[in-house]
Amino acid sequence: MPAPAPARMHRAVRSAPPHRAGRRGRAALAGLLTLTAAAAAAPSAGADGPPYVTRPDLRPTRVTVTTPATNVAPGYVFATPKGGGIDSGAEIFDNAGQLVWFRPAKKRGTSILDLKPQTYEGKPVATFWEGLAVRGYGFGAFHIVDQNMNEIGRVSPNGKGQMDFHEFTLTPQGTALGISYKPVRGSTTAVKGGARNDLIMRNLIQEIDPKTNEVLWEWDITKGVSPAESYLPIPARPEVAYDYIHANSVNLDADGNLLVSSRHTHTIYKVDKKTKKIIWRLGGKKSNFKMGPGARFAWQHDAHRQPDGTISLFDNASSIENDKGKRSKGLVLNVDEAANTATVAKQFVNPVPKVDNTQGNLQALPNGNWFVGWGGTGRNVSEFSADGTQIFEAKYASKRTESYRAYRSPWVAQPQVAPKAVARRSSSSVAVRVSWNGATTVAAWRVVGGASATTLVPRIVSARTGFETLIRVPDRAGESKVVAVEALDVAGNVLSRSKAIAVGAKY
């Protein structure tokens, strides 16, 4: 059944993020907090990890910041942690490692991968893939989420849910670039042990209309690249398709043609969009460029043309995790197409001397910094200054947790669903916990209480202290039998209000 076309973008968020608020707004909020300074908020129940009392359905990984943020680019971290006993999901967290948004996979056994900030129809969106991931291949669809955290699109070739997770790039033309795989029959006689009618993995590079899921353009890379270019041996088992290419990224070049990264040929291909012919090869066995010292890469991911003409990528360096003497890195190359040379412009090496043999990405940031997701065995994300100094690092709690890619980006979101709150009575106070999954505009919470839902009056204002905030409301007389919590922006405006809830003896 075809996926639904995106709906109209919902109304814009109603408040600027705190760092953009004016002096008057900050003063207004400071005044509200001063009035209730006697009742400080306790740390969040989720500060040491899930579960959250207000959202027991959310089980994201705990994130630890190991290099505090210094002169980093503005924004949050976007990742898709999976493994290590936590739910696979799309996760946004801040520079302190505090959760901002988590969206778990909806079906048991499925995964969410590649949460990415992008622009769609001129507005900020977040995109992620969800589906069945098996042996490094995906069968699912990409989802587009707006700033109200509502899904406005679901994209796969012809709406059949057969899109791979490796790439989804929204173009300025309003289309989407992606990859699909399918086992087919083909010749592998170009390599030792090959056969005329062998089982191979077809790699399709596709351009799709996100509104209709119509495939507008596609290129079968297996018809343009020979198995002789591959560094991957033919599988020993005949039922395993020989994926001698394994395309894992596709992005627009500056001239409108495409850059396609092929992991198993150690090559980045520039493809003519009109003729579907390969213009040149960067790296690999048939490179059109003389690769300078340190410029060669292997098993790479995430190739992009940068505005200054360089090409960036994540160099996995090896397909073996404990390959001694090799280290994965973010790599930026000067590519001279006139002289046919490629030299190292920048590189960003994981402070941990190891190989991240699967997954990974390198993102150029607007302020000149670079952000690295270290992939399958990295368990960490890093931000580097232009000179290669690590200025931020965060790690997932479990050594078995990984994220395909990770990004940093500014993001302003205000969900249309209301905040969630729970309340428990003690001898002299009411302990209220509140959270609002995905909201970035909340500066403080105001608890209102009374004998019933129709008699609620302001009780206390407390600063937001992470994803879930605990607020102790003085209540010796037991007046607050029912409470609700209002989300306030930095100017003290009410953004939303939780459902009125009865105060219980326990959570």
Side-chain angles (χ1 to χ4, degrees):
M1 181 177 179
R8 290 180 58 191
M9 295 290 284
H10 294 276
R11 59 174 174 79
V13 293
R14 292 178 291 176
S15 173
H19 66 272
R20 287 188 178 180
R23 188 177 302 171
R24 184 178 301 176
R26 290 192 293 270
L29 180 61
L32 285 171
L33 293 172
T34 301
L35 293 174
T36 56
S44 163
D48 294 324
Y52 298 105
V53 175
T54 54
R55 294 301 305 267
D57 55 319
L58 304 182
R59 296 178 61 249
T61 187
R62 179 162 51 90
V63 175
T64 301
V65 174
T66 49
T67 299
T70 305
N71 298 322
V72 298
Y76 300 102
V77 177
F78 292 64
T80 48
K82 62 183 184 299
I86 55 93
D87 287 346
S88 171
E91 181 170 352
I92 300 175
F93 60 88
D94 64 18
N95 287 335
Q98 283 281 347
L99 182 67
V100 174
W101 181 63
F102 186 69
R103 197 281 208 179
K106 290 187 175 181
K107 293 182 179 180
R108 182 179 294 274
T110 61
S111 300
I112 288 181
L113 293 158
D114 199 27
L115 175 65
K116 184 191 302 186
Q118 300 201 65
T119 299
Y120 180 56
E121 296 185 332
K123 297 180 181 179
V125 295
T127 63
F128 61 88
W129 178 90
E130 184 170 9
L132 182 64
V134 181
R135 294 181 179 177
Y137 303 98
F139 304 91
F142 272 90
H143 301 246
I144 305 174
V145 176
D146 69 11
Q147 290 178 279
N148 297 120
M149 311 314 292
N150 291 318
E151 184 174 304
I152 60 171
R154 188 175 302 178
V155 184
S156 65
N158 300 312
K160 294 182 178 180
Q162 296 296 308
M163 195 167 192
D164 182 71
F165 60 76
H166 280 93
E167 188 63 272
F168 183 75
T169 299
L170 292 169
T171 71
Q173 293 74 35
T175 63
L177 297 172
I179 300 169
S180 295
Y181 295 106
K182 184 180 180 180
V184 297
R185 290 288 171 179
S187 175
T188 58
T189 56
V191 295
K192 184 178 180 180
R196 289 185 180 278
N197 190 33
D198 207 348
L199 188 63
I200 64 172
M201 187 66 77
R202 184 181 67 185
N203 289 217
L204 283 180
I205 308 302
Q206 297 171 314
E207 184 173 20
I208 301 171
D209 183 344
K211 294 183 182 297
T212 65
N213 284 308
E214 177 187 359
V215 177
L216 305 173
W217 181 93
E218 71 178 16
W219 175 52
D220 184 352
I221 189 172
T222 53
K223 292 182 178 179
V225 175
S226 167
E229 293 187 44
S230 187
Y231 291 84
L232 186 74
I234 289 183
R237 296 183 298 172
E239 68 273 16
V240 176
Y242 181 33
D243 185 9
Y244 63 90
I245 295 170
H246 198 73
N248 58 22
S249 78
V250 51
N251 290 286
L252 286 175
D253 201 350
D255 58 6
N257 292 311
L258 300 180
L259 294 180
V260 178
S261 167
S262 166
R263 173 174 166 86
H264 291 168
T265 65
H266 303 182
T267 304
I268 296 168
Y269 298 94
K270 179 165 180 174
V271 183
D272 189 299
K273 186 81 179 301
K274 293 181 179 179
T275 66
K276 300 183 183 180
K277 301 293 185 182
I278 295 173
I279 298 172
W280 51 245
R281 291 166 168 83
L282 175 65
K285 297 177 181 179
K286 297 179 66 177
S287 180
N288 294 105
F289 298 87
K290 182 180 179 181
M291 308 298 286
R296 283 206 168 269
F297 48 85
W299 312 100
Q300 81 289 341
H301 287 77
D302 197 39
H304 291 263
R305 177 79 74 173
Q306 298 301 330
D308 63 358
T310 59
I311 291 179
S312 65
L313 58 106
F314 183 79
D315 177 17
N316 294 85
S318 176
S319 62
I320 302 170
E321 183 176 348
N322 298 312
D323 199 343
K324 293 183 179 180
K326 295 185 178 180
R327 294 177 71 176
S328 302
K329 57 187 175 294
L331 185 62
V332 184
L333 299 177
N334 289 313
V335 179
D336 189 329
E337 297 187 39
N340 293 326
T341 59
T343 57
V344 175
K346 297 177 185 294
Q347 60 180 4
F348 306 95
V349 181
N350 195 336
V352 179
K354 64 189 296 292
V355 169
D356 304 297
N357 59 316
T358 69
Q359 308 167 78
N361 72 299
L362 175 64
Q363 177 195 12
L365 297 171
N367 69 343
N369 292 350
W370 294 80
F371 198 82
V372 181
W374 292 105
T377 59
R379 188 188 149 218
N380 60 328
V381 300
S382 299
E383 185 167 340
F384 294 89
S385 60
D387 65 1
T389 303
Q390 182 174 264
I391 54 179
F392 173 78
E393 183 188 55
K395 291 184 177 180
Y396 311 120
S398 171
K399 292 182 179 180
R400 294 182 293 119
T401 298
E402 61 185 34
S403 179
Y404 169 50
R405 291 173 175 171
Y407 306 87
R408 178 185 287 283
S409 178
W411 179 251
V412 180
Q414 186 175 308
Q416 289 183 316
V417 297
K420 301 286 187 180
V422 295
R424 179 181 63 83
R425 183 176 302 284
S426 65
S427 58
S428 61
S429 66
V430 173
V432 179
R433 294 187 189 273
V434 61
S435 66
W436 196 8
N437 190 26
T440 66
T441 53
V442 181
W445 300 103
R446 178 163 59 205
V447 179
V448 295
S452 68
T454 59
T455 61
L456 302 181
V457 296
R459 296 295 188 191
I460 192 172
V461 176
S462 183
R464 179 186 179 277
T465 58
F467 180 81
E468 183 177 84
T469 300
L470 170 60
I471 308 166
R472 299 196 181 277
V473 184
D475 192 45
R476 292 184 180 276
E479 297 173 327
S480 295
K481 293 181 172 54
V482 176
V483 298
V485 186
E486 296 172 337
L488 307 180
D489 68 11
V490 73
N493 300 311
V494 177
L495 303 173
S496 185
R497 183 173 179 171
S498 75
K499 179 181 177 181
I501 55 170
V503 177
K506 61 181 181 178
Y507 290 132

